[in-house]
Amino acid sequence: MTIEESDLPGVGKKHVVDIGDGDLVIVTHNTGKREVFRRPDPDADSEKLFELSDDLARTIGTILEGAYFQPIEAEKQETTLPGGLLLEWYEVPPGSPLAATTIRAADIGATTGATVVAIERDGATVESPGPETTLQEGDTLVVTGTDEQCAAFEALLAGEA
């Protein structure tokens, strides 16, 4: 990420932040006011997104910095369905015995009792994957089963079963 800073004599400072699909331009006035612009490419005109007072800009900056909340990525997500059935998300880690294997060949249902109900892959969802669907490293598998079945599936995924 590239950040350019420049003085705006009589106005304040300008920061240009490369955000991948263009630039975010932030003008901080000597009065404390902030103006935020988006520029889709270096040759385009900037479009004003919003303006903030000094106090509001500092509060939002503190939130973005993580002073109020530090997100923690869970190793697995879990949802309990009626009847005690779990719906869990598991990522296929590198080296998993399930990677490059079809659902049928992995024999997930017979081995663990759990069912793969969807696969999240490269930003797309494979709904109700069939037995010939090949699992890949990095796939996120949406699995349903009892607590014991999901634990057995997790052990199979890690190569511990």
Side-chain angles (χ1 to χ4, degrees):
M1 170 176 44
T2 305
I3 300 174
E4 298 173 13
E5 179 182 310
S6 58
D7 287 325
L8 298 175
V11 176
K13 290 242 184 224
K14 176 173 86 172
H15 292 89
V16 180
V17 182
D18 179 358
I19 57 172
D21 64 343
D23 293 328
L24 196 63
V25 180
I26 303 161
V27 176
T28 305
H29 292 257
N30 292 332
T31 62
K33 174 176 82 171
R34 313 303 199 280
E35 293 178 295
V36 180
F37 302 84
R38 184 177 184 288
R39 185 172 55 200
D41 61 69
D43 298 325
D45 290 335
S46 296
E47 173 189 346
K48 186 173 182 177
L49 298 175
F50 53 88
E51 185 176 305
L52 302 169
S53 68
D54 184 54
D55 286 341
L56 185 56
R58 290 176 188 277
T59 300
I60 290 172
T62 303
I63 292 167
L64 291 173
E65 185 180 39
Y68 289 95
F69 174 73
Q70 285 290 323
I72 300 171
E73 187 173 325
E75 289 185 21
K76 66 177 183 178
Q77 300 175 37
E78 178 181 292
T79 301
T80 304
L81 301 172
L85 203 58
L86 298 178
L87 186 64
E88 296 195 16
W89 287 253
Y90 298 95
E91 184 172 332
V92 179
S96 171
L98 297 186
T101 304
T102 65
I103 292 174
R104 181 188 316 273
D107 205 18
I108 294 168
T111 305
T112 67
T115 304
V116 177
V117 296
I119 301 171
E120 295 174 359
R121 177 182 294 155
D122 299 325
T125 301
V126 178
E127 300 172 6
S128 302
E132 298 311 315
T133 302
T134 301
L135 305 175
Q136 300 175 7
E137 288 183 358
D139 281 354
T140 298
L141 308 180
V142 182
V143 176
T144 186
T146 64
D147 193 37
E148 294 79 20
Q149 291 168 335
C150 288
F153 174 79
E154 194 169 356
L156 179 65
L157 182 64
E160 299 168 0

